[in-house]
Amino acid sequence: MEKLQCQCGHINPPGTNLCESCGRSLTEKEQNSKLVDMRYEGTARRSQTYNKSIIDKIWNFFSSVKVGVGIIVLLLVAAAIGTILPQKAFVPANTEATIKEYYADTYGVVGQIYHALGFHDLYSSFWFIILVGMLAISLIIASLDRFVPLYKSLKNQRVLRHPSFMDKQRIYAEGPGAEDTLKKAEEKLSELKYKVRTDKNGLLAEKGRFSRWGPYVNHIGLIIFLFGVMLRMMPGFYIDESLWIREGETRAIPEVPGYYLENKNFELENYSGEGGEEIFGEALDRVGTVAKNYQTDIVLYKKKEDALPGAVDGQEVVKEYPIRVNQPLKFAGYAIYQMDFRLDELKAMTFSFINKETEESFGELTIDLIDPKKDYELDNGASVKLIGYYPDFSGFENGEPQTATPLPNNPGFLVKLFTPDTPEGETSFITIKNTVEPLGENEYKLAFQSVETRDVSGLTVRKDSTLPILGLGGLIFMIGVAQGMYFNHRRFWIQQKTDGTILLAGHTNKNWFGLKKDLNQVVEYASLPAYTDQQDEIEKQEKAEKEGEVLS
Amino acid sequence: MDEKAKQTKNSKKRKRAVMRTTILAILIAAIGYTIYNSATAEDVTVLKVGDKAPNFTLVDLEGENHKLSDYEGQGVFLNFWGTWCKPCAKEMPAMDRQYEVFTNQGVQVLAVNIAQSDFEVQSFADQYGLSFPVVIDKTKSVMTAYNIRPLPTTVLVNPEGNIQRIITGEMTEQDIEGFMEEIKPD
């Protein structure tokens, strides 16, 4: 492409629509239209200028608004598809292989494809990240390509423009003027807070130029926001871990090195409908139980300096705190939220040691299911020895009792019962449902009496160091929106020809009503010729033509 | 066009190419880095082969303290396990046999049980007649420090105190022998 030389002698970069200096139309399209296209001040978008190397081609690709919109549409469609089947965090599987199986088993071929394409973990799938990255590139390049020429053009504005530029502005007037017309117009415009520059026989009044930077400020905000989202994927910036902790347990907090949490007590309180809660009575009758409070009373410990993980006395109390829904425990940039619970996990079982025939009792014993003891002494010389403990009994294998998990869901005990009558001891295998006597009929048994339970609290450990960055991005985004939406860039060009004729043109990026209001004051004060809104004229004309067609 | 104009045009062209290439390169590098991070985020391997093995101290069934740093100069075969985990139970006898062989060659075995009761761990150790120290991580703090997910997981610590290898899942006796050979001090 060649550089364009205007009649006024100014050399414009290729792709320019309106001469940078005098404002004459340079393209045929512009010359034939009634009004000039003032977008980007008629400057050449930089990408249109050159298109030679591969780098230029890539640059031009991303500079296109159409491409940017295309990327946004693709992202929306992908995000929509991502909601059709559950994301991987919500399926009941936790290893790569089982997750894959789950999708295949539950949703068939569709599920397989869904998983293979990465829709099951959309935000982490590489192609989604690439698309978001391409959006960021598009935002940056498209903005640079438009902002730089626009900035230069507005900075180097000339006061005097060619009449052909002025008469193609939407607001235009031409008519006789007095000697002091320019002077008075300048006075009034200055009073209206316009910046006025004069040159020979003309003036340029301008107000609110910064409104033109709104979209670019807005894009800077978006890019900062995307940068914050990118940081979330970096280790250490974003933590979202769950922690199940039982009453009485002390646990190292996952992803929070050096801190421990003890669960003192978990409480679930329901609305009773009594004592000041009578007003809820009707609602409670209708819907049943309604929770009033979920609460975990915790103690937070910190590892002592120099203490090693696992050291028994290596912790010191930081604070005690009741974690409730929406009242997280906060410390050192982390927050721990109440998220879930399981009530009544078995904690201890109490049995009574009796003679099967006479039902004579030797007293009771309680076996702690979390930390069972080996030996239990009872009344009258009876004792019980725990030989094997299977917290989650799942059957026998080669005659050996097995446990499926370390949790006391279905405890089984292999015990030996001693009395003065049976000093050799009788062996018994006890589970919740029944008792097996593997070595022959026994005289004594342990009869189940009662259980103690404890609750499990489900907590979530959160840390998000990117929030300030996301907040900043959002703030800048909003500043950009306000800047572009609530402020207008208004300009007037006025020239007086040697014969006294006044030429007047006005332009604004939005809010033409406001521009006209300003202009009316100036017209009145400085006795300028009456102006017309050429856009309105064109529309009226088109409307009249249309109606004419209908009539004929 | 005269020489001077041509020159300025060329230098402008070069400047433009450099500028555009730099901006594109930075942006593409940022995307690449993000993808890399998201791909490796799955195994939040705070621990990697070659890292210093985090020090810890745990108490064994006899009440004795075992501090990892005390074994510097020896290879440490760190096995995380639970009584309820079948593959853990299966590899225990083989580990015990190999321990007998390598204990005189400077290889220490530490079996770290994850937060189970003394009773369960003691009966398991008695049943299998384990001769190496068995320690219990009551608060799961060592498990957290080593970021152990599935059981069994074995971490090989070389005589310099660095992580030589991380093995998840069951090992055969041959594997165990090979691993102990790997961390044997010269």
Side-chain angles (χ1 to χ4, degrees):
Chain A
M1 268 205 260
E2 271 306 305
K3 298 212 172 222
L4 301 167
Q5 184 163 20
C6 178
Q7 282 167 290
C8 71
H10 184 82
I11 295 168
N12 294 287
T16 308
N17 290 327
L18 303 175
C19 174
E20 290 171 334
S21 176
C22 69
R24 275 194 189 86
S25 301
L26 296 175
T27 62
E28 213 170 302
K29 190 171 158 252
E30 283 299 336
Q31 277 160 7
N32 293 334
S33 74
K34 276 198 175 154
L35 292 177
V36 288
D37 183 358
M38 287 291 282
R39 252 203 310 173
Y40 313 120
E41 299 291 294
T43 56
R45 207 173 83 205
R46 298 218 294 177
S47 59
Q48 292 174 327
T49 321
Y50 318 96
N51 193 359
K52 282 179 186 151
S53 65
I54 291 186
I55 293 292
D56 286 339
K57 289 209 163 96
I58 297 174
W59 190 271
N60 294 355
F61 175 77
F62 283 112
S63 176
S64 155
V65 170
K66 270 186 203 152
V67 168
V69 172
I71 293 171
I72 292 172
V73 169
L74 280 181
L75 282 169
L76 287 177
V77 170
I81 294 174
T83 64
I84 295 175
L85 298 185
Q87 289 287 295
K88 87 167 187 188
F90 303 102
V91 303
N94 41 30
T95 64
E96 277 303 316
T98 52
I99 289 170
K100 192 175 171 188
E101 233 169 79
Y102 177 85
Y103 279 95
D105 292 349
T106 320
Y107 306 106
V109 184
V110 177
Q112 265 172 331
I113 298 170
Y114 201 83
H115 182 275
L117 293 179
F119 280 107
H120 69 295
D121 191 12
L122 188 66
Y123 296 147
S124 306
S125 75
F126 76 95
W127 58 266
F128 192 85
I129 297 173
I130 289 179
L131 272 180
V132 174
M134 282 170 70
L135 179 63
I137 294 181
S138 158
L139 279 172
I140 291 171
I141 291 181
S143 300
L144 271 179
D145 255 13
R146 288 169 177 77
F147 171 75
V148 173
L150 178 63
Y151 177 81
K152 279 187 182 162
S153 159
L154 286 176
K155 199 179 163 216
N156 299 326
Q157 276 183 97
R158 296 264 305 269
V159 172
L160 292 172
R161 294 296 180 105
H162 191 262
S164 75
F165 171 85
M166 295 179 69
D167 70 18
K168 281 185 181 177
Q169 294 297 324
R170 187 170 154 179
I171 300 293
Y172 180 69
E174 192 176 348
E179 213 169 291
D180 63 346
T181 307
L182 272 185
K183 196 115 195 87
K184 288 189 102 173
E186 186 184 347
E187 264 171 41
K188 190 68 191 172
L189 283 163
S190 298
E191 195 188 312
L192 291 171
K193 304 237 156 57
Y194 280 77
K195 278 191 196 123
V196 185
R197 278 161 60 205
T198 55
D199 185 11
K200 290 175 204 152
N201 60 333
L203 73 76
L204 165 61
E206 187 176 15
K207 183 164 144 178
R209 191 195 286 180
F210 79 104
S211 149
R212 298 289 286 268
W213 316 140
Y216 309 105
V217 171
N218 177 299
H219 284 180
I220 290 170
L222 271 179
I223 285 157
I224 291 174
F225 194 92
L226 287 177
F227 178 72
V229 173
M230 182 181 103
L231 280 186
R232 280 194 165 202
M233 309 229 176
M234 312 287 151
F237 278 96
Y238 181 69
I239 289 166
D240 186 2
E241 284 278 330
S242 58
L243 167 64
W244 285 94
I245 184 164
R246 294 169 170 78
E247 286 175 324
E249 279 183 345
T250 302
R251 286 286 175 260
I253 306 174
E255 303 285 333
V256 187
Y259 283 93
Y260 301 82
L261 216 55
E262 181 185 356
N263 179 351
K264 286 270 197 200
N265 177 41
F266 174 81
E267 221 168 288
L268 165 60
E269 204 185 329
N270 290 319
Y271 282 102
S272 60
E274 291 160 13
E277 291 176 4
E278 280 93 354
I279 47 166
F280 303 134
E282 202 183 312
L284 289 175
D285 286 343
R286 187 157 42 83
V287 299
T289 332
V290 175
K292 184 178 182 182
N293 182 25
Y294 304 95
Q295 177 173 333
T296 310
D297 297 324
I298 58 90
V299 184
L300 176 71
Y301 297 94
K302 189 180 193 291
K303 180 178 83 83
K304 281 184 196 154
E305 221 161 306
D306 312 325
L308 294 175
V312 183
D313 305 319
Q315 307 150 1
E316 52 197 10
V317 176
V318 178
K319 68 166 146 184
E320 297 187 18
Y321 186 81
I323 300 178
R324 293 188 180 132
V325 174
N326 292 335
Q327 290 173 28
L329 166 71
K330 289 198 169 166
F331 65 97
Y334 299 93
I336 299 187
Y337 291 86
Q338 182 72 54
M339 287 299 270
D340 206 349
F341 65 93
R342 279 201 300 269
L343 293 179
D344 300 332
E345 212 175 78
L346 293 175
K347 182 186 172 208
M349 289 173 88
T350 302
F351 299 92
S352 140
F353 191 135
I354 54 169
N355 185 311
K356 280 162 131 182
E357 234 167 77
T358 63
E359 305 234 322
E360 183 197 354
S361 171
F362 287 89
E364 290 186 345
L365 76 154
T366 299
I367 301 177
D368 186 332
L369 300 178
I370 312 314
D371 192 9
K373 278 195 308 170
K374 201 175 172 124
D375 297 296
Y376 303 83
E377 294 294 328
L378 288 108
D379 307 338
N380 303 328
S383 68
V384 174
K385 196 179 172 104
L386 187 62
I387 298 178
Y389 168 49
Y390 312 93
D392 196 0
F393 175 65
S394 59
F396 293 92
E397 218 170 83
N398 303 325
E400 282 272 339
Q402 303 292 318
T403 181
T405 72
L407 305 173
N409 297 325
N410 180 28
F413 312 94
L414 189 61
V415 290
K416 244 180 160 175
L417 313 177
F418 299 92
T419 65
D421 293 347
T422 53
E424 294 293 303
E426 294 177 333
T427 305
S428 179
F429 184 73
I430 306 163
T431 56
I432 290 177
K433 279 177 201 141
N434 61 350
T435 299
V436 181
E437 291 169 355
L439 304 177
E441 189 78 6
N442 294 344
E443 277 183 53
Y444 298 93
K445 72 166 186 178
L446 291 183
F448 171 75
Q449 294 294 311
S450 62
V451 291
E452 273 174 57
T453 61
R454 62 175 178 173
D455 304 328
V456 195
S457 178
L459 304 172
T460 289
V461 183
R462 283 251 172 84
K463 179 187 164 185
D464 192 350
S465 313
T466 66
L467 276 181
I469 298 172
L470 297 185
L472 178 72
L475 180 73
I476 292 178
F477 179 94
M478 287 313 294
I479 290 175
V481 169
Q483 196 176 334
M485 296 290 276
Y486 297 120
F487 298 89
N488 323 124
H489 179 216
R490 296 175 185 167
R491 274 177 298 174
F492 294 114
W493 296 269
I494 307 177
Q495 267 176 50
Q496 188 159 32
K497 287 189 189 165
T498 38
D499 64 359
T501 312
I502 292 281
L503 294 185
L504 163 73
H507 181 260
T508 179
N509 58 340
K510 52 176 62 80
N511 187 7
W512 292 86
F513 177 78
L515 180 86
K516 289 178 199 166
K517 245 174 83 179
D518 281 354
L519 185 55
N520 289 339
Q521 294 185 53
V522 182
V523 167
E524 197 180 334
Y525 183 80
S527 343
L528 292 170
Y531 64 88
T532 51
D533 185 333
Q534 305 201 74
Q535 181 85 37
D536 286 355
E537 296 294 315
I538 294 170
E539 274 163 24
K540 255 187 231 160
Q541 211 174 327
E542 276 171 2
K543 211 175 158 195
E545 271 169 25
K546 244 191 195 160
E547 276 167 9
E549 273 168 35
V550 172
L551 287 177
S552 62
Chain B
M1 232 181 274
D2 58 30
E3 270 310 296
K4 212 175 167 192
K6 226 175 203 166
Q7 258 178 19
T8 47
K9 197 186 164 193
N10 277 339
S11 94
K12 251 179 121 178
K13 217 167 116 187
R14 235 194 338 271
K15 246 166 99 185
R16 186 187 85 222
V18 169
M19 191 77 179
R20 291 185 171 183
T21 313
T22 316
I23 293 174
L24 280 173
I26 290 171
L27 292 172
I28 288 165
I31 297 173
Y33 186 55
T34 311
I35 292 171
Y36 167 78
N37 266 301
S38 117
T40 52
E42 288 304 310
D43 30 53
V44 197
T45 18
V46 187
L47 280 190
K48 282 196 290 288
V49 170
D51 286 354
K52 187 94 192 149
N55 200 4
F56 62 85
T57 175
L58 288 172
V59 183
D60 72 9
L61 297 170
E62 271 75 51
E64 249 171 275
N65 261 307
H66 293 268
K67 196 163 152 190
L68 183 66
S69 57
D70 289 348
Y71 295 108
E72 212 161 276
Q74 301 183 41
V76 181
F77 191 94
L78 209 53
N79 180 257
F80 292 86
W81 68 287
T83 64
W84 49 273
C85 140
K86 299 234 164 74
C88 304
K90 252 192 226 164
E91 63 188 17
M92 282 291 180
M95 266 166 58
D96 202 51
R97 280 194 293 275
Q98 292 304 320
Y99 173 66
E100 301 287 349
V101 176
F102 281 90
T103 182
N104 297 323
Q105 303 175 39
V107 175
Q108 180 66 35
V109 172
L110 279 180
V112 182
N113 176 275
I114 305 299
Q116 285 188 277
S117 64
D118 292 351
F119 177 83
E120 286 164 274
V121 178
Q122 184 69 63
S123 2
F124 184 94
D126 292 346
Q127 188 189 343
Y128 285 84
L130 302 178
S131 46
F132 46 75
V134 178
V135 295
I136 305 178
D137 182 13
K138 291 273 184 196
T139 58
K140 295 191 181 177
S141 54
V142 179
M143 177 191 173
T144 310
Y146 276 78
N147 198 38
I148 302 296
R149 288 281 151 94
L151 292 184
T153 293
T154 304
V155 178
L156 302 183
V157 183
N158 64 22
E160 291 78 48
N162 296 326
I163 293 173
Q164 175 85 22
R165 192 193 279 271
I166 300 170
I167 307 114
T168 50
E170 193 184 328
M171 302 172 288
T172 64
E173 184 148 6
Q174 259 177 330
D175 294 338
I176 296 171
E177 192 186 348
F179 294 150
M180 290 201 180
E181 195 68 47
E182 238 180 80
I183 51 172
K184 196 174 81 177
D186 302 322

